[in-house]
Amino acid sequence: MNDSLRFLATAGAVAAIIAAVAWIGDRRRMKRRNLDRVGFMPWTTIFFWSLLAAVLLLGISGRALLGGN
């Protein structure tokens, strides 16, 4: 595995971790007890973009790792 594939795989793993944290944050926001305490983080947007990045980066690195160019 060369350095560019290792970078893609690492960046994809970090994006997947960010997506998991954003998913947990969004679930906590949806199940809050006090509806007036809204918060300021756009968890859904963070989840969407980080999951998209994780799928693309891990897909590209996995394809290259398995020999598909």
Side-chain angles (χ1 to χ4, degrees), residues 43-57:
W43 291 118
T44 307
T45 305
I46 294 170
F47 171 74
F48 174 76
W49 289 111
S50 60
L51 184 65
L52 180 69
V55 167
L56 290 175
L57 290 170

Side-chain angles (χ1 to χ4, degrees), residues 13-68:
V14 169
I17 291 170
I18 292 171
V21 169
W23 179 64
I24 291 168
D26 194 35
R27 289 202 32 108
R28 287 186 65 203
R29 183 180 55 133
M30 290 295 178
K31 295 184 179 280
R32 67 184 181 270
R33 293 178 196 250
N34 187 355
L35 296 178
D36 292 332
R37 296 189 61 175
V38 178
F40 64 93
M41 291 299 291
W43 291 118
T44 307
T45 305
I46 294 170
F47 171 74
F48 174 76
W49 289 111
S50 60
L51 184 65
L52 180 69
V55 167
L56 290 175
L57 290 170
L58 291 174
I60 291 169
S61 66
R63 181 177 175 202
L65 182 65
L66 294 175

